[in-house]
Amino acid sequence: MKPFGSEADWEDLALEDLGDLGWEPKAGKDIAPGSGERVSWDSLVIPHRLQDALLRLNPEVPKHYLDQAMAEILAIRSGDALTENHRMHGILVGGYSGLSYVDDEGVQRSPTVHVISANPDRNDWLAANQVRLVDRDHDRRFDVVLYCNGLPVGIIEVKKGGAHHADVSAAHAQLETYVHEFPAEFRFALLTIATDGVISAYGTPFTPLNHFAPWNVDDDGRPVEPGERQPDGSTPTSLSLLLYGVCNVERFLQLQRHFTAFHVYKDNGTLTKRIAKPHQYF
């Protein structure tokens, strides 16, 4: 890959790496409404994949009750993206506890409905590029959307390196615009990635640019520079280093479950979300 490839080149590279990491790569048109995947242009969610996951992870709960739980999980309670993200984080990590029913033997059941398994092999992983999202006021294409069990858990924004006004800061600004325009679509997102191929950084959907971070270490926590030759002879880009760092499906779940924190400041009640940087993870 030449240093300053097109945005499409970097998207293709991202999908290739994500495929190697266990995410099923697809084109956005192949999950568009009418494809059997997404059902509406104004939602990124893929309902049948979520339904399949709920059935797989909660075999003891009758399907019609899981359908009820699914409707409640997908219901939007707040117009504030961070508030919704905080609420959904609890459900994705700890399960949904709002279901109660009487079983066929007359016993009251209040199960915890699991949405994502801590075992990566029990989840459905998908990565799609050029995913179109439309409401009455906005028509956008997200460069890459990461899905776990049909839920959009990550967004990657790519800008062409070396282009005028196109760099990581521009990619981050674009992500901020998306959060403002489509706040509900970020309620499931663990992280976002901003890249121009040459420089890549990650944070939460609500992390200021100055707190976005590269993943500049190998799997043992040893510092690595982009382009530095590795023992296997490869010379990874900053984007590949980052994807292999945070999108390894096992580590992605670890980051979600053990290395993400929400905090409310006592003086003004402001809610914040933080995700560990590489040195904090290791």
Side-chain angles (χ1 to χ4, degrees):
M1 177 76 64
K2 56 184 181 293
F4 295 113
S6 69
E7 293 178 16
D9 289 335
W10 290 113
E11 287 179 27
D12 290 344
L13 175 64
L15 287 183
E16 181 179 336
D17 284 341
L18 289 164
D20 291 341
L21 290 165
W23 306 73
E24 176 191 8
K26 276 183 175 284
K29 62 182 177 60
D30 294 329
I31 66 165
S35 67
E37 300 279 7
R38 293 168 60 201
V39 297
S40 66
W41 288 109
D42 64 356
S43 173
L44 293 175
V45 172
I46 303 177
H48 84 88
R49 291 182 183 251
L50 176 57
Q51 185 178 59
D52 290 347
L54 294 178
L55 289 167
R56 182 171 63 252
L57 301 178
N58 306 277
E60 74 287 354
V61 181
K63 180 182 181 300
H64 58 284
Y65 290 116
L66 288 177
D67 289 343
Q68 176 185 329
M70 176 172 157
E72 293 173 1
I73 290 167
L74 293 179
I76 299 168
R77 308 294 186 194
S78 168
D80 181 73
L82 180 52
T83 299
E84 278 294 276
N85 189 278
H86 185 202
R87 183 177 69 87
M88 290 311 310
H89 178 81
I91 292 174
L92 298 183
V93 170
Y96 175 71
S97 306
L99 187 66
S100 182
Y101 64 92
V102 177
D103 67 16
D104 293 340
E105 298 178 354
V107 178
Q108 183 77 28
R109 302 290 185 186
S110 299
T112 296
V113 175
H114 300 288
V115 181
I116 293 178
S117 173
N119 178 352
D121 294 336
R122 300 196 69 201
N123 298 313
D124 171 58
W125 303 92
L126 169 69
N129 74 318
Q130 291 299 299
V131 180
R132 188 181 179 195
L133 189 61
V134 184
D135 67 10
R136 290 177 299 178
D137 301 315
H138 307 101
D139 187 338
R140 299 287 191 176
R141 289 184 186 272
F142 289 11
D143 290 336
V144 180
V145 179
L146 305 176
Y147 286 93
C148 182
N149 296 341
L151 300 176
V153 292
I155 307 291
I156 302 173
E157 177 65 19
V158 182
K159 293 296 183 185
K160 181 180 177 181
H164 184 55
H165 295 314
D167 52 21
V168 170
S169 62
H172 180 270
Q174 189 67 66
L175 288 166
E176 288 188 317
T177 297
Y178 293 156
V179 173
H180 175 72
E181 293 176 346
F182 302 100
E185 300 311 303
F186 287 84
R187 64 194 189 278
F188 305 107
L190 170 66
L191 53 79
T192 54
I193 292 172
T195 181
D196 63 4
V198 179
I199 299 172
S200 305
Y202 75 103
T204 80
F206 319 101
T207 303
L209 177 61
N210 63 316
H211 286 297
F212 258 53
W215 190 276
N216 51 5
V217 298
D218 63 17
D219 282 341
D220 296 318
R222 182 184 68 87
V224 177
E225 290 295 326
E228 179 183 333
R229 186 170 296 278
Q230 301 302 296
D232 62 2
S234 64
T235 53
T237 64
S238 68
L239 180 56
S240 287
L241 281 171
L242 179 52
L243 293 176
Y244 273 82
V246 302
C247 294
N248 168 313
V249 291
E250 183 175 1
R251 185 173 293 131
F252 190 93
L253 292 175
Q254 291 173 352
L255 290 169
Q256 184 180 60
R257 290 174 175 271
H258 306 299
F259 295 93
T260 299
F262 291 83
H263 178 74
V264 178
Y265 287 96
K266 292 181 179 179
D267 55 346
N268 58 14
T270 301
L271 176 66
T272 61
K273 179 182 183 181
R274 296 190 179 96
I275 189 169
K277 296 178 181 179
H279 69 279
Q280 295 166 326
Y281 171 83
F282 283 99

